Amino acid sequence: MTAEKKNFNFLIAGVPYKLRSSHDDATVQELVDFVNNKMNQAMAVTKNGSFQNAAVLTAMNIAEELILLKRKAQRELDKIEEKTMQLSLELENSKNNKVLNN
């Protein structure tokens, strides 16, 4: 069962947009604020003030954050998997030693 979608109107860097989303109002506002902050940062460093250049720079910055977070999450998952395998082997060895000693 999918959540009901609502229409949202918002501004990004002063440009009006409409969005249809199943997210709650607070989540949509958080997304809008996040993108707006990134756009404002990009507009501040874009030499000619081009909205298009700022939008591409914003997309690149968000993509960078996403990719770095995904890499970090994968490293953490790899560590957990390695530790799980290690504990599993230790448990199996402990079980085998107990059987041999009895």
Side-chain angles (χ1 to χ4, degrees), residues 25-60:
D25 294 0
T27 299
V28 171
Q29 189 59 53
E30 186 177 2
L31 294 169
V32 169
D33 291 344
F34 182 82
V35 172
N36 241 336
N37 287 335
K38 291 290 184 184
M39 276 295 289
N40 289 337
Q41 290 170 8
M43 289 293 284
V45 298
T46 303
K47 291 179 180 153
N48 61 4
S50 162
F51 184 83
Q52 183 177 358
N53 288 350
V56 170
L57 183 57
T58 297
M60 292 296 291

Side-chain angles (χ1 to χ4, degrees), residues 78-94:
D78 291 344
K79 286 179 189 176
I80 291 168
E81 184 177 7
E82 184 179 328
K83 185 68 174 174
T84 302
M85 292 296 290
Q86 191 176 29
L87 289 171
S88 178
L89 286 172
E90 288 174 15
L91 183 61
E92 190 64 33
N93 288 338
S94 172

